[in-house]
C-alpha cells in the first residue's frame, strides 16, 4: 500500500515539475518575444533617412549663396560638387534657391576628420524638399514631408476688425481670409461692429509640430448686427461649396464689396458735401479708402462697356454691365488691369483695376457705384439672389449633416 502511495506521489511530482517546466518555458518564450518586440523598433526618419545613422547639421541659405558654394563648404571636391549640382538640376531649378530657406547636411558618423557628406536636403517650402544622395552615382529627387491634418474649433469677438480678432486669439491669420471669402456675398466686412463674433470648425495642417496652413473651414457661424449667418461646407457633384441653414448657397450673384480690407470713407447720399468742390451735391456711390494700388474686383460676371477717363471728376473709370438690370462703375483708379478693354468679359472676383486718386480726389480711394435699371442704388443695401442651392436629391442628406454639425458649432465656447 505504501509503495502504491509513493508511486502515485512520484508520478504527480513528475507531472507538476513538467507543468512548472512548461510554465517556465512559456514565460521564457513570452519574455523573449517581448525582448524581440522591444528590439524591433522602427528607426526615426528625417527626410526618409535614419537620423541615428548620421551626423546632421542644419543651416540657412545666406546672401549670395548657391548650391555649388554650399556643397564646397560642406567638404566636397569641386568635381563632386559639380556632379551633385548637375544631378540636382535634373529635378530642381538650382537658380531658385532662396535666401533664408533652410537646408540639412547629412554626414557619415566617423569622427570629424574622416566624416563625409552623404546627403543634402534643401527645403523648397514647408512641405516640399529636394534631397540629393551623394556617392559614386549622384541621385536627386523632389519629395514631400508628411502633413498631418488636425480638426480644431475657435471663436472670437470683434473689437476692431476680423483680422485683429483672429490675431488677438492667437489664431492662424488665414482663418480671417477664409471667412472673408466664405461670407464675401453675405456680410459687409466694412460694416462689422464691435461685439460681432464668430465660431468656426476647421482643419489645420502640420508638419511635425509646425503649422503650415489651414486645410478647410468645415462650418462657421458669424453673428453680425444681431443676426447669425451659418455656413456649412458640403460637397455635391464632386464640388464643395458653402450653404446656409435652408440649403441656399452663400455664393451670390454679386460680391458685397469690390475690394478687401479697407474702410468706408463716404456712403451713398443725396446731399453730400463734396470734399473738393465744397458744395452739397448727390453722391450716389460708396467710397472705400484704401492704399494706392489695392486691387479692385468686379463684383459679378459681366461685360466692360466703358473704360477711360471721366472728365466730370471720376478720373480713370470702368463700367461693367452684369445683366439687363445691373451695371457697376469703379472710379478714381490709378490704372487698369491687364486685358481690361471695352467689350472684355469679366468674371466675379476678377481684378479689373487698382485704387488710385485720379480725377477730383483728396486721397486714394475707390468710388463704387451701382445702377439698377439705369437708376443709382445704394450698394450697401443691395440684395443679390443666391445661386446653386443644394439639389433636391441631396437635400435630406444635407439637412441631416448640417443639423449635426450645427449642434457642435453652437457648443463652441459655451
Amino acid at each position: 500500500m505504501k509503495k502504491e502511495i509513493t508511486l502515485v506521489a512520484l508520478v504527480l511530482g513528475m507531472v507538476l515539475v513538467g507543468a512548472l517546466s512548461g510554465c517556465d518555458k512559456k514565460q521564457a518564450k513570452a519574455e523573449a518575444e517581448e525582448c524581440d518586440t522591444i528590439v524591433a523598433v522602427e528607426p526615426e526618419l528625417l527626410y526618409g533617412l535614419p537620423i541615428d545613422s548620421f551626423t546632421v547639421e542644419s543651416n540657412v541659405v545666406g546672401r549670395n549663396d548657391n548650391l555649388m558654394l554650399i556643397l564646397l563648404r560642406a567638404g566636397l571636391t569641386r568635381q563632386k560638387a559639380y556632379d551633385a549640382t548637375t544631378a540636382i538640376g535634373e529635378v530642381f531649378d538650382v537658380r531658385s534657391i532662396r535666401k533664408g530657406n533652410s537646408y540639412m547636411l547629412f554626414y557619415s558618423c566617423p569622427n570629424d576628420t574622416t566624416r563625409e557628406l552623404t546627403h543634402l536636403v534643401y527645403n523648397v517650402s514647408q512641405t516640399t524638399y529636394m534631397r540629393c544622395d551623394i556617392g559614386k552615382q549622384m541621385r536627386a529627387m523632389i519629395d514631400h514631408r508628411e502633413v498631418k491634418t488636425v480638426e480644431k474649433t475657435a471663436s472670437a469677438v470683434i473689437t476692431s476688425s476680423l483680422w485683429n480678432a483672429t490675431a488677438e486669439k492667437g489664431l492662424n491669420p488665414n482663418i480671417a481670409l477664409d471667412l472673408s471669402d466664405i461670407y464675401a456675398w453675405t456680410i459687409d466686412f466694412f460694416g462689422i461692429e464691435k461685439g460681432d463674433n464668430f465660431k468656426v470648425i476647421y482643419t489645420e495642417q502640420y508638419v511635425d509640430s509646425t503649422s503650415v496652413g489651414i486645410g478647410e473651414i468645415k462650418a462657421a457661424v458669424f453673428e453680425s448686427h444681431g443676426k447669425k449667418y451659418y455656413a456649412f461646407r458640403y460637397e455635391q457633384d464632386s464640388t464643395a461649396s458653402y450653404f446656409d441653414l435652408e440649403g441656399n448657397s452663400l455664393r451670390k450673384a454679386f460680391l458685397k464689396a469690390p475690394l478687401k480690407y479697407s474702410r468706408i470713407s463716404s456712403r451713398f447720399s443725396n446731399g453730400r458735401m463734396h470734399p473738393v468742390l465744397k458744395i452739397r451735391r448727390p453722391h450716389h456711390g460708396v467710397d472705400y479708402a484704401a492704399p494706392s494700388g489695392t486691387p479692385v474686383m468686379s463684383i459679378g460676371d459681366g461685360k466692360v462697356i466703358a473704360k477711360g477717363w471721366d472728365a466730370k471728376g471720376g478720373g480713370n473709370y470702368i463700367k461693367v454691365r452684369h445683366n439687363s438690370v445691373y451695371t457697376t462703375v469703379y472710379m478714381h483708379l490709378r490704372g487698369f488691369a491687364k486685358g481690361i478693354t471695352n467689350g472684355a468679359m469679366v468674371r466675379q472676383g476678377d481684378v479689373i483695376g487698382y485704387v488710385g486718386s485720379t480725377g477730383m480726389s483728396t486721397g486714394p480711394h475707390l468710388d463704387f457705384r451701382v445702377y439698377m435699371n439705369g437708376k443709382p442704388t445704394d450698394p450697401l443695401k443691395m440684395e443679390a439672389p443666391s445661386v446653386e442651392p443644394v439639389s433636391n436629391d441631396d437635400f435630406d442628406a444635407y439637412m441631416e449633416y448640417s443639423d449635426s454639425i450645427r449642434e457642435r458649432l453652437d457648443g463652441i465656447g459655451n
Side-chain angles (χ1 to χ4, degrees):
M1 183 67 175
K2 291 182 179 179
K3 290 182 179 179
E4 292 178 355
I5 293 173
T6 303
L7 180 61
V8 171
L10 180 61
V11 171
L12 289 174
M14 292 176 65
V15 171
L16 182 59
V17 170
L20 290 174
S21 177
C23 289
D24 290 342
K25 290 179 180 178
K26 288 179 181 179
Q27 183 176 355
K29 182 179 180 182
E31 290 176 352
E33 288 176 351
E34 185 178 351
C35 288
D36 289 343
T37 302
I38 295 173
V39 171
V41 174
E42 291 292 327
E44 182 182 355
L45 300 180
L46 181 64
Y47 302 104
L49 300 169
I51 191 171
D52 290 340
S53 300
F54 302 94
T55 299
V56 183
E57 291 184 2
S58 180
N59 297 274
V60 174
V61 177
R63 185 179 181 182
N64 299 323
D65 265 353
N66 58 50
L67 280 175
M68 177 66 80
L69 287 175
I70 290 171
L71 292 167
L72 289 173
R73 283 202 304 263
L76 291 190
T77 64
R78 184 165 293 276
Q79 183 60 52
K80 277 195 171 184
Y82 173 80
D83 292 343
T85 303
T86 301
I88 292 169
E90 294 178 359
V91 299
F92 175 72
D93 184 357
V94 297
R95 298 169 299 178
S96 66
I97 68 167
R98 294 288 180 266
K99 177 186 174 183
N101 281 22
S102 62
Y103 64 92
M104 311 282 281
L105 300 173
F106 289 74
Y107 292 93
S108 57
C109 274
N111 59 56
D112 291 342
T113 58
T114 60
R115 70 178 189 172
E116 293 182 352
L117 182 68
T118 57
H119 306 276
L120 163 72
V121 174
Y122 169 74
N123 287 305
V124 181
S125 67
Q126 289 179 304
T127 59
T128 304
Y129 64 90
M130 181 282 300
R131 191 181 97 190
C132 180
D133 300 334
I134 297 168
K136 291 182 179 180
Q137 295 293 325
M138 302 290 184
R139 188 172 70 93
M141 63 179 182
I142 297 291
D143 209 340
H144 304 277
R145 301 181 70 180
E146 180 184 4
V147 178
K148 294 182 179 179
T149 300
V150 179
E151 184 174 284
K152 292 187 170 185
T153 62
S155 62
V157 177
I158 308 298
T159 55
S160 56
S161 69
L162 175 60
W163 183 272
N164 289 341
T166 56
E168 288 163 3
K169 292 297 289 284
L171 302 175
N172 190 306
N174 285 331
I175 289 178
L177 297 175
D178 289 349
L179 285 174
S180 66
D181 286 340
I182 291 169
Y183 289 110
W185 299 269
T186 310
I187 296 173
D188 177 16
F189 283 100
F190 305 110
I192 60 176
E193 59 186 10
K194 186 176 181 179
D196 288 354
N197 61 87
F198 69 84
K199 297 178 179 181
V200 61
I201 299 173
Y202 66 102
T203 59
E204 191 160 3
Q205 297 177 325
Y206 288 85
V207 171
D208 297 329
S209 59
T210 303
S211 173
V212 295
I214 299 299
E216 63 188 35
I217 288 181
K218 301 180 74 172
V221 57
F222 201 108
E223 185 174 1
S224 180
H225 298 275
K227 184 177 180 180
K228 290 184 177 181
Y229 299 89
Y230 284 89
F232 305 103
R233 189 178 190 273
Y234 190 73
E235 185 174 309
Q236 57 178 0
D237 298 327
S238 301
T239 302
S241 190
Y242 289 90
F243 303 90
D244 64 14
L245 290 172
E246 287 76 36
N248 297 313
S249 174
L250 265 67
R251 180 182 172 88
K252 308 287 185 178
F254 299 125
L255 297 173
K256 270 291 186 180
L259 71 174
K260 296 182 179 180
Y261 299 105
S262 179
R263 65 181 177 85
I264 294 173
S265 55
S266 182
R267 294 175 179 267
F268 188 95
S269 171
N270 287 316
R272 182 191 71 159
M273 176 65 72
H274 193 280
V276 176
L277 299 177
K278 304 301 181 183
I279 60 173
R280 289 196 175 276
R281 69 177 190 177
H283 180 253
H284 290 157
V286 173
D287 286 351
Y288 292 97
S292 181
T294 298
V296 174
M297 301 174 291
S298 172
I299 66 165
D301 296 354
K303 180 180 181 179
V304 177
I305 59 173
K307 169 205 166 185
W309 180 268
D310 176 28
K312 295 180 180 180
N316 290 325
Y317 81 103
I318 295 172
K319 182 182 287 189
V320 178
R321 183 171 63 223
H322 301 284
N323 50 38
S324 60
V325 177
Y326 290 101
T327 300
T328 54
V329 179
Y330 311 78
M331 305 169 72
H332 302 303
L333 301 174
R334 186 178 79 178
F336 308 104
K338 185 177 181 180
I340 298 301
T341 59
N342 284 328
M345 303 301 296
V346 294
R347 301 295 302 272
Q348 185 181 76
D350 281 353
V351 174
I352 57 176
Y354 304 92
V355 170
S357 188
T358 57
M360 284 193 293
S361 169
T362 58
H365 73 285
L366 172 71
D367 185 342
F368 173 61
R369 306 192 176 200
V370 176
Y371 294 87
M372 183 177 178
N373 294 317
K375 296 181 179 180
T377 186
D378 188 346
L380 300 180
K381 296 180 179 179
M382 181 177 63
E383 289 292 337
S386 298
V387 295
E388 303 167 1
V390 172
S391 68
N392 291 334
D393 292 341
D394 289 335
F395 187 77
D396 290 342
Y398 170 77
M399 293 304 293
E400 182 178 351
Y401 167 74
S402 61
D403 285 346
S404 65
I405 201 166
R406 178 188 178 183
E407 186 174 346
R408 291 177 55 202
L409 194 62
D410 289 340
I412 296 173
N414 294 339

